[in-house]
Amino acid sequence: MKPIDWILLWTLSLLWGGSFLFNELALAGLPALTIVWGRVGLAAVLLMLAVRMSGQGVPPRDLWPALAVMGVLNNLVPFTLFLLAQGQITGGLASVLNATTPLFTVLVAHLATADERLTPAKAAGVALGFGGVIVMMAGEDLGGEGLAMLACLGAALSYGLAGVWGRRFKAAGVTPLQTAAGVVTCSAVLLAPVWLVVDRPWALGWPGMVPVAAVLALAALSTALSYLIFFRILGRAGATAISLVTFLIPFSAAGLGWLVLGERLELRHFAGLALILGGLAVMERVRTGRR
């Protein structure tokens, strides 16, 4: 990887790690569904503009049902679960649990595909990673923080399902940018009626500048711009380079939470993170064929 690739990679980790900080700032004045809809709605506009400017055109009509499923799995479910969880736990801890996404992806791929089976080495990595989850959740009850941590794991599972579901778009002949724009557009359309019924936005008071700015940052920086950088890295350095961002996001999120909000992770959270990243490292070595 060239220096510019590392710069882009760290930038992407800051943008995705920053989403946990933006969530907390937005929750100070807005309900969860309003934040999610604002994020995907504005991001849909920005990404559709990017698609138009690139001359690629919108995805074909027969692909939109699959894009809608992807929108639910990759946006609506995890975004909502993380926001609900961050009412109880810090963004840093939520980002650590988000790092279990590749563990769930391996398990889902084993059950749902024929070409990505769970090998003994992969199973060892998964076991090591979930051992870290057990360390972090030791002593937690099913209420409060414990339930919030389970919600984060549910969000990671949804990302894992989305990762396997999204494999079909490459074979469909659409570009990654078209896919991203279609996914967030479907997310905004699907969530709109639920958001209107549940949050009744016309009855909400003015939340203040900070929550509004946080939602704008979620949409423009942590979603639209992040997708563009993601595809730039993918094209320049490949999938292996992209996989490194999983290791960087918890540090970015925890660092931003400490710097802006003064949040701190407990020792058991660091221990759990070490085990999760160790499990991911084992699986990454298996994937790249290194001992």
Side-chain angles (χ1 to χ4, degrees), residues 109 113-116 162-172:
T113 68
D115 58 339
E116 292 193 29
V164 175
W165 181 264
R167 295 171 61 182
R168 68 192 63 225
F169 296 116
K170 184 176 182 180

Side-chain angles (χ1 to χ4, degrees), residues 93-154:
L93 178 53
S95 72
V96 170
L97 293 167
N98 178 59
T100 62
T101 295
L103 306 178
F104 284 110
T105 304
V106 167
L107 294 178
V108 173
H110 173 76
L111 296 173
T113 68
D115 58 339
E116 292 193 29
R117 310 304 294 174
L118 190 64
T119 64
K122 285 183 179 180
V126 170
L128 187 62
F130 282 117
V133 174
I134 293 173
V135 168
M136 286 191 292
M137 296 191 68
E140 296 285 357
D141 56 30
L142 290 181
E145 288 193 8
L147 189 60
M149 293 171 75
L150 288 176
C152 291
L153 293 175

